[in-house]
Amino acid sequence: MHKTGDVILGGLFKLHFFAAEPDLSFTSEPQQPDCFGFDATGFRKAQTMAFAIDEINRNSDLLPNVTLGYSLYDNCLQLRIGFRAALSLVSGQEEQVTLEENCVGPPPVLGVVGDYTSTNTISISTVLGLYKVPLVSYFATCTCLGDRQKFPSFFRTIPNDTFQVRAMIQILKRFGWTWAGLLISNDDYGIHGARIFHSDMGPVGGGCLAYTEILPWGDDPAELRRIVDVMRKSTARVVIVFAHESHVIQLLGEVSTLITLLLRCFLVQLQKSSKSICHPFYGKTKN
């Protein structure tokens, strides 16, 4: 999505959950990635940015004699796609730029909104920070991004992982769930979140983690089945997931049988008016 203006703002959004890897045979120019699995939430975020800019342009009191524009890209949840989009935004999108009295081509962006994941944001902010281009993320929560020495031009509109983990631990403590399993994504978001869980779960929540498993990227049914088997054999009836939607979508495809069994338990216990009810993923609680 692109709209011209006196000042251009860039945006990186997750409009698709997955991307098919192109043929990297190094014998021809790589093809554009094929993204699939439409993400309605990411699309709404992109539309929100476009709507906000349009509203600012309609109000002449906010930026008199200045029109804002935008260039929004879909990162397909892939670092290589998001990184290429960010470089395209800050360096101009034309293959050739003619230097005459005025530069021909779209003006470079004043700042970039994004990226969606912490890992993507870390890589992009490392480069954009060299040129003092602001990067404002709406979803990157890694505590490491708070280092102003490494990321001098990074900002965000969401609390970091420390606050999220503490809130989740308080929920576990409130319901008395002191024995739980932890599933994380294999990136900075999941790994840093796991470290906080391991350090704070006992002192703050008075509980312990039965296991910590890393969810794989891409299509890996064998690894997902192994993780589901760990969940099934464990005595922990609470599972904490600190990962992305794409991981959960793939995981649920493998645990459908487990969910069915737990739902049966839930329905049977309700019909018997038992004092204990089995909830999917949340184990047993008291009425």
Side-chain angles (χ1 to χ4, degrees), residues 128-145:
L128 298 191
L130 298 175
Y131 304 97
K132 302 297 188 291
V133 177
L135 181 67
V136 183
S137 178
Y138 51 89
F139 226 68
T141 56
C142 182
T143 53
C144 57
L145 286 164

Side-chain angles (χ1 to χ4, degrees), residues 166-237:
R166 288 177 179 173
M168 295 173 75
I169 291 177
Q170 290 299 322
I171 293 174
L172 296 174
K173 185 177 180 180
R174 169 66 178 81
F175 290 99
W177 297 333
T178 57
W179 184 239
L182 177 63
L183 304 180
I184 64 172
S185 56
N186 190 16
D187 58 6
D188 296 277
Y189 173 68
I191 293 174
H192 281 83
R195 289 176 181 173
I196 303 174
F197 263 111
H198 280 276
S199 62
D200 293 359
M201 184 72 171
V204 178
C208 297
L209 293 174
Y211 56 84
T212 300
E213 293 291 338
I214 299 177
L215 296 172
W217 286 100
D219 186 16
D220 193 348
E223 178 64 12
L224 288 174
R225 283 194 293 270
R226 186 194 66 80
I227 293 174
V228 171
D229 190 55
V230 171
M231 295 167 56
R232 185 166 51 246
K233 293 180 180 179
S234 174
T235 56
R237 306 310 301 163

Side-chain angles (χ1 to χ4, degrees), residues 6-283:
D6 301 321
V7 177
I8 306 296
L9 299 177
L12 302 173
F13 296 92
K14 178 175 65 70
L15 304 185
H16 294 87
F17 288 113
F18 309 102
E21 294 290 338
D23 180 21
L24 300 178
S25 60
F26 300 100
T27 59
S28 61
E29 182 178 352
Q31 300 297 316
Q32 291 293 331
D34 183 18
C35 300
F36 57 96
F38 180 69
D39 181 11
T41 302
F43 180 71
R44 286 197 297 268
K45 288 183 173 67
Q47 292 287 0
T48 300
M49 179 175 174
F51 174 77
I53 290 177
D54 290 339
E55 288 296 299
I56 292 173
N57 289 336
R58 290 192 185 99
N59 191 334
S60 59
D61 295 331
L62 294 177
L63 291 175
N65 301 321
V66 176
T67 301
L68 292 180
Y70 53 79
S71 288
L72 310 183
Y73 282 81
D74 177 13
N75 63 17
C76 299
L77 202 59
Q78 299 291 320
L79 172 58
R80 55 187 174 81
I81 299 176
F83 194 85
R84 182 170 60 182
L87 293 181
S88 177
L89 286 169
V90 299
S91 62
Q93 302 161 14
E94 299 291 336
E95 294 186 0
Q96 295 182 351
V97 177
T98 304
L99 295 179
E100 298 176 354
E101 293 183 0
N102 296 315
C103 292
V104 176
V109 298
L110 187 66
V112 178
V113 175
D115 199 324
Y116 179 80
T117 68
S118 295
T119 296
N120 290 14
T121 303
I122 289 170
S123 300
I124 295 171
S125 183
T126 300
V127 175
L128 298 191
L130 298 175
Y131 304 97
K132 302 297 188 291
V133 177
L135 181 67
V136 183
S137 178
Y138 51 89
F139 226 68
T141 56
C142 182
T143 53
C144 57
L145 286 164
D147 189 335
R148 306 308 299 174
Q149 295 294 325
K150 293 182 178 179
F151 311 103
S153 62
F154 172 76
F155 306 90
R156 57 182 156 203
T157 60
I158 185 174
N160 64 38
D161 288 338
T162 301
F163 295 94
Q164 293 189 56
V165 173
R166 288 177 179 173
M168 295 173 75
I169 291 177
Q170 290 299 322
I171 293 174
L172 296 174
K173 185 177 180 180
R174 169 66 178 81
F175 290 99
W177 297 333
T178 57
W179 184 239
L182 177 63
L183 304 180
I184 64 172
S185 56
N186 190 16
D187 58 6
D188 296 277
Y189 173 68
I191 293 174
H192 281 83
R195 289 176 181 173
I196 303 174
F197 263 111
H198 280 276
S199 62
D200 293 359
M201 184 72 171
V204 178
C208 297
L209 293 174
Y211 56 84
T212 300
E213 293 291 338
I214 299 177
L215 296 172
W217 286 100
D219 186 16
D220 193 348
E223 178 64 12
L224 288 174
R225 283 194 293 270
R226 186 194 66 80
I227 293 174
V228 171
D229 190 55
V230 171
M231 295 167 56
R232 185 166 51 246
K233 293 180 180 179
S234 174
T235 56
R237 306 310 301 163
V238 179
V239 180
I240 307 166
V241 182
F242 211 77
H244 307 286
E245 295 100 323
S246 59
H247 291 103
V248 178
I249 291 172
Q250 293 174 329
L251 178 66
L252 291 180
E254 294 296 330
V255 301
S256 56
T257 302
L258 179 61
I259 292 178
T260 301
L261 292 175
L262 291 174
L263 284 173
R264 285 177 182 171
C265 177
F266 175 79
L267 294 174
V268 169
Q269 295 290 353
L270 276 180
Q271 291 170 357
K272 293 181 179 179
S273 300
S274 174
K275 288 295 184 180
S276 60
I277 299 177
C278 298
H279 294 272
F281 286 102
Y282 297 102

